[in-house]
Amino acid sequence: MEIGRGKNGRRAYALDEIGIVPSRRTRDPEEVSISWQIDAYRFDLPLVVSPMDSVVSPKTAIEVGRLGGLAVLDLEGLWTRYEDPEPLLAEVAELHGEAATKRLQQIYAQPIKDELIGRRIEEIREAGVTTAVRLSPQRTVQHHKAVIDAGVDIFVIRGTTVSAEHVSGRAEPLNLKQFIYELDVPVIVGGCATYTAALHLMRTGAAGVLVGFGGGASHTTRTVLGVAVPMATAISDVAAARRDYMDESGGRYVHVIADGGMGTSGDIAKAIACGADAVMVGSPLARASEAPGRGFHWGSEAQHPELPRGKRVHFGTIGTLEQILHGPSSVADGSMNLMGALKRTMATAGYSDLKEFQRVEVVVAPQHS
């Protein structure tokens, strides 16, 4: 598509611009399976909770694990900087307007402590749920030993944009391929948003790739940096990379996890319909009564010391984690009973499991139609 005489661009689609097409048969929602497995770890729900302080604490990570999902604790968040971050979380919930960003920058200036990394991981592990934690590519080399020593199950390397080939004249960049090869745990890495970038990340040996720039409702990367790839197109492109990498590698399957921009149950269903194996969400669970953000939501981009690319957003509280994931729902806007809605979508379209549902027909259906 011609943007102007000197620039062409491909038309890309957001999740709210597509629709799922039912097939000739339907199924009973109770007979639909939404379980998925990555490496040796199996989950009842295709749900990964974003590593955001407003959503994931050791306590909520344990609860999400008990409910069938996987929550990722941010090791660059308040839980590894402070012995007890609860008073600070309460303070953030009381801040107003632009003062929130400035105060977040101050709070997150406290250094990360390796002993707290070990303690938080141990706390989650002792509860008997799968333990997943996140570091950014910039801090992975510095802190990964503390993570592995503590016995983490799944390691997430997540940034706004993560590449397999980072060029820097100032410091030795993280060699993802060597790093993942030397680790004895499955690694999920991202975000990425293109076929080529995803293929390179898959070749590093990652067990999963995150699609998108994360953040979603609290993210301002598009406004600050101008970087944006609509999610329906991004997921479909990365799913194509997964298929081609399977052929290239002789059958190695890398999981595609859609990350960010999914605020409703319909968005989650459409992400999987486009080819995702699971979704990483934050804002839907920021509304839980147990959420550490107390109804507010922000990501790691919000406290960047030089160029914040996120903001603190108020969502309020609508119910417990269990109600938001499994219902019952008392609202009709797709913000509760997320997993029940996914089952019903799959049943309506006639599919019995997630792998089958990735083949469902979709159409371009702008919101106003």
Side-chain angles (χ1 to χ4, degrees):
M1 182 180 292
E2 186 181 276
I3 295 169
R5 287 181 180 269
K7 181 69 71 174
N8 292 327
R10 183 164 62 112
R11 174 71 165 96
Y13 295 95
L15 291 171
D16 61 9
E17 294 180 283
I18 67 166
I20 294 167
V21 181
S23 66
R24 62 183 175 83
R25 69 162 66 93
T26 56
R27 294 182 181 274
D28 185 330
E30 294 306 313
E31 296 175 6
V32 170
S33 169
I34 57 172
S35 64
W36 78 299
Q37 183 167 336
I38 184 164
D39 204 82
Y41 303 99
R42 185 176 180 83
F43 303 95
D44 293 335
L45 312 177
L47 176 102
V48 184
V49 184
S50 299
M52 295 173 157
D53 279 345
S54 53
V55 184
V56 181
S57 64
K59 186 176 178 182
T60 57
I62 292 166
E63 181 62 14
V64 168
R66 287 175 177 157
L67 291 170
L70 175 69
V72 183
L73 184 69
D74 185 9
L75 296 185
E76 296 174 27
L78 299 179
W79 294 94
T80 57
R81 297 175 191 264
Y82 298 91
E83 290 278 346
D84 178 15
E86 289 291 353
L88 293 168
L89 289 164
E91 180 191 343
V92 171
E94 298 296 325
L95 296 173
H96 297 285
E98 293 301 318
T101 299
K102 187 173 183 180
R103 182 60 181 138
L104 283 171
Q105 289 174 313
Q106 294 169 348
I107 291 170
Y108 283 88
Q110 184 80 0
I112 297 165
K113 301 176 180 66
D114 279 356
E115 63 268 23
L116 285 178
I117 288 178
R119 197 183 309 169
R120 303 310 184 199
I121 292 172
E122 189 178 324
E123 191 177 334
I124 300 170
R125 280 186 66 227
E126 285 180 349
V129 301
T130 304
T131 307
V133 297
R134 171 262 180 187
L135 284 170
S136 65
Q138 296 85 348
R139 287 204 167 103
T140 293
V141 172
Q142 182 182 355
H143 296 293
H144 78 275
K145 191 174 185 306
V147 175
I148 300 304
D149 289 349
V152 76
D153 295 316
I154 297 174
F155 196 164
V156 179
I157 301 174
R158 179 181 186 256
T160 301
T161 303
V162 176
S163 68
E165 184 180 349
H166 179 66
V167 179
S168 174
R170 293 185 299 168
E172 183 68 27
L174 173 65
N175 184 327
L176 271 177
K177 191 167 188 175
Q178 181 183 344
F179 181 80
I180 291 173
Y181 177 77
E182 291 173 356
L183 287 182
D184 200 26
V185 298
V187 176
I188 297 171
V189 62
C192 68
T194 66
Y195 171 93
T196 304
L199 198 56
H200 279 102
L201 288 179
M202 290 171 185
R203 288 170 179 159
T204 65
V209 170
L210 298 170
V211 185
F213 303 119
S218 65
H219 213 270
T220 59
T221 294
R222 180 172 187 155
T223 306
V224 178
L225 299 183
V227 175
V229 181
M231 281 295 280
T233 296
I235 296 166
S236 301
D237 284 350
V238 175
R242 174 186 61 203
R243 179 197 62 216
D244 292 348
Y245 177 70
M246 276 188 74
D247 292 340
E248 174 189 304
S249 63
R252 185 172 181 270
Y253 190 91
V254 179
H255 295 267
V256 172
I257 303 168
D259 179 11
M262 290 163 290
T264 67
S265 53
D267 292 335
I268 292 171
K270 287 187 277 188
I272 293 171
C274 286
D277 296 290
V279 297
M280 177 177 271
V281 298
S283 59
L285 302 184
R287 296 179 172 95
S289 55
E290 303 98 321
R294 295 159 170 79
F296 285 88
H297 185 46
W298 66 94
S300 58
E301 304 84 5
Q303 71 267 7
H304 194 282
E306 298 164 7
L307 191 66
R309 299 178 306 282
K311 57 187 177 181
R312 190 198 58 157
V313 180
H314 183 246
F315 282 119
T317 300
I318 59 173
T320 64
L321 280 169
E322 184 166 9
Q323 288 171 325
I324 291 171
L325 290 179
H326 295 299
S329 174
S330 57
V331 293
D333 60 3
S335 62
M336 297 183 78
N337 197 3
L338 302 178
M339 297 297 104
L342 174 60
K343 280 188 172 185
R344 189 165 291 275
T345 301
M346 291 169 62
T348 301
Y351 292 89
S352 60
D353 62 47
L354 296 172
K355 283 281 190 295
E356 283 187 4
F357 186 57
Q358 290 172 345
R359 299 196 296 268
V360 70
E361 182 184 353
V362 299
V363 293
V364 176
Q367 271 190 314
H368 60 266
S369 65

